[in-house]
Amino acid sequence: RTGGLIASREKARKAVSWQKMEKAFEKSEKIEARIVSRIKGGYAVDCQSCLCFLPNSQLSLKPLSGEEIRELMKKPQIFEIVKMDKRRGNIVLSRRQHLQRSIDATRDEEISKLKVGMIVEDAICKALTAWGAFIMVNNIETLCHINEISHSRISAPSDLLRVGQKLRVKIIKIDSDTKKVSTSIKALTENPFNNAV
């Protein structure tokens, strides 16, 4: 009314930060920010003067202890923007999504080194189920179906295998869509029925 002007440096900083966040969201770019406090349902995250929301479910791939969370809050973390509401001024972030993409990228790189027919000498039995064994091959979890463990009939994989056992396996299938790898133990042993009279 008096012709005076009211200026805000903080609002200007927030407006510039919001524009940067919008561009990052549109281009699916990662951002670096710091978790500043715990709030209802998640965490408040500061990114260049923009206060964002990180839901509990998007903090990590696995449950974290209070000490681990406090360690995360001491240094900047990498996040992905999953939602922006300009009208309400809300920005929702995910650290979990970034971690999962990193794992998937590493897995894809490791799988690309595998070929059907490849023989692996130092595979490790990670877990046993009723239908087969999960076997680690070059940091990739593969499945050896119960029918691929032995030429003879077995009632359960535990009849012949134990967790932690070192194995020699052959890669028999790589699914390019699901990224699942199948292995076989019996493919590296002679079929006794071939010599049956």
Side-chain angles (χ1 to χ4, degrees):
R1 288 183 303 176
T2 60
L5 297 175
I6 299 175
S8 171
R9 181 170 179 268
E10 186 60 26
K11 284 186 177 181
R13 287 179 61 191
K14 286 183 178 180
V16 171
S17 294
W18 183 273
Q19 289 175 352
K20 289 180 180 178
M21 297 287 274
E22 277 185 322
K23 288 181 181 178
F25 182 52
E26 290 167 4
K27 296 179 180 179
S28 299
E29 293 177 344
K30 300 174 182 62
I31 62 165
E32 186 177 85
R34 188 186 296 271
I35 302 171
V36 291
S37 64
R38 185 154 199 166
I39 57 177
K40 185 178 179 180
Y43 303 85
V45 180
D46 178 42
C47 182
Q48 300 177 22
S49 298
C50 275
L51 206 58
C52 310
F53 177 61
L54 173 67
N56 283 324
S57 62
Q58 298 302 313
L59 175 63
S60 184
L61 294 169
K62 61 180 182 179
L64 299 179
S65 66
E67 182 59 34
E68 288 174 320
I69 293 171
R70 284 189 288 275
E71 282 299 314
L72 287 180
M73 296 173 74
K74 290 180 180 179
K75 53 188 177 182
Q77 304 293 322
I78 302 297
F79 301 91
E80 290 188 16
I81 303 170
V82 294
K83 184 180 178 182
M84 290 190 75
D85 187 336
K86 192 170 185 177
R87 186 172 62 83
R88 294 182 178 180
N90 290 343
I91 302 174
V92 181
L93 304 180
S94 173
R95 179 174 175 269
R96 177 192 177 100
Q97 196 164 291
H98 163 66
L99 294 174
Q100 187 61 58
R101 287 188 198 278
S102 299
I103 289 173
D104 290 345
T106 302
R107 178 178 172 82
D108 289 347
E109 183 180 347
E110 291 293 333
I111 288 178
S112 69
K113 298 175 184 177
L114 304 178
K115 305 294 178 189
V116 172
M118 181 184 289
I119 297 172
V120 182
E121 303 287 346
D122 55 354
I124 301 292
C125 181
K126 181 183 178 184
L128 299 173
T129 67
W131 64 87
F134 288 101
I135 297 173
M136 296 303 293
V137 174
N138 298 348
N139 296 319
I140 298 295
E141 187 178 81
T142 70
L143 174 64
C144 181
H145 194 271
I146 188 170
N147 294 335
E148 291 296 332
I149 293 175
S150 173
H151 289 289
S152 59
R153 187 178 180 85
I154 58 174
S155 59
S158 57
D159 291 347
L160 296 177
L161 305 177
R162 68 180 189 279
V163 174
Q165 183 178 350
K166 188 175 179 180
L167 300 166
R168 186 169 180 258
V169 300
K170 183 176 182 179
I171 297 170
I172 57 173
K173 184 180 178 183
I174 301 174
D175 191 313
S176 57
D177 295 325
T178 62
K179 306 296 183 183
K180 291 182 178 179
V181 180
S182 299
T183 50
S184 174
I185 298 171
K186 80 174 187 180
L188 297 176
T189 60
E190 186 178 359
N191 189 339
F193 298 105
N194 291 339
N195 299 323
V197 178

